Amino acid sequence: MSVTVVGSVALDTVETPSGTNTEGLGGAAMFFSLAAANFTRVNLIGVVGDDFPKEHVDLLASRDIDLEGLEHAEGKSFRWTGKYHDDINLRDTLDTQLGVFETFQPKLTAAAKDAKYLFLGNIHPALQLDVLSQANADFVALDTMNLWINETREDLEKVLAKIDCLIINDEEIFDLTGEKNIVRGARKIQDMGPSIVAAKKGEHGCVLFAGNQLFSAPAFPMAEVVDPTGAGDTFAGGFMGYIAQQDSVEFETLKKAVIYGSVTASYTCEDFGPERLKEVTPDSIITRFDAFVALSKF
Ligand code: AMP
């Protein structure tokens, strides 16, 4: 089964303790798509400007990604600049230039509408609602950020009431629910709508809440993190890609999807932008998945 993603395709400038990457390929929907395409066909809905390098489009086109929904608009592409601290878990956003993303009105193609699985990337919740009204998906997952939680809460609550799964980190859980404890926070989120909550804890892994069932997975241990930008979106791509490939939202599938999400995200952290992720194959993901199973089994 195919999966549709709506979100940013960007040019990212990133500084980490390992170095600087200027105007590299970025964007939440881009990381999601490259990850999910290892599992299933992806319909990418997004927008880029007329300054967007052709080589980036060619890279995406070389994968199982339908780019009919990637709009090419007049103007500048979305640009994001971030700087990481020596503690790589901390980062500051230095600049955000919305460019053509500012007036982005997502329009789903026929294939995108008909996909059974939909991922609403981190965009204004009013746009997420609009996409939801265009789609025929059976299973919808969503990502958000502190900006929308704090500034557009009413719209966010409307969209939360309509979706199946929220992928969220511990800080966002606190902003959304006032709970520092992720178990209590996730339960509160389930009361807002999504029966499934994937609560990410950065280098400490992920806890999955599905109805009243619970699964806790460590993160894949890594000696060096070069650039964690997009790791969350890559996690979502591996998670949703596996679910769509298996065409199942049974608890056993969801648990494996968390591990596939973590494994795929570990590649993103190994180099700047999608430099490492783009080299990954389904076979290498399976090999790392098996290694992950071995190291967390007791
Ligand atoms: P993450 O590291 O998972 O937070 O994702 C970082 C990616 O999100 C980068 O590639 C950025 O281009 C993109 N991004 C940053 N800010 C925004 C925003 N306000 N809306 C959409 N995408 C964004």
Side-chain angles (χ1 to χ4, degrees), residues 108 221 275:
L108 299 199
E275 285 309 301

Side-chain angles (χ1 to χ4, degrees), residues 14-17 80 82-86 88 90-91 227-229:
V14 178
E15 188 182 335
T16 80
W80 177 79
K83 181 176 177 172
Y84 288 82
H85 296 213
D86 286 336
I88 199 90
L90 301 174
R91 84 170 176 212
D227 173 17
T229 307

Side-chain angles (χ1 to χ4, degrees), residues 8 10 12 26-28 31 78 80 91 101 122 145 228-230 232-233:
S8 58
D12 285 351
F31 284 108
F78 176 67
W80 177 79
R91 84 170 176 212
F101 204 51
N122 169 27
M145 69 192 286
T229 307
D233 312 305

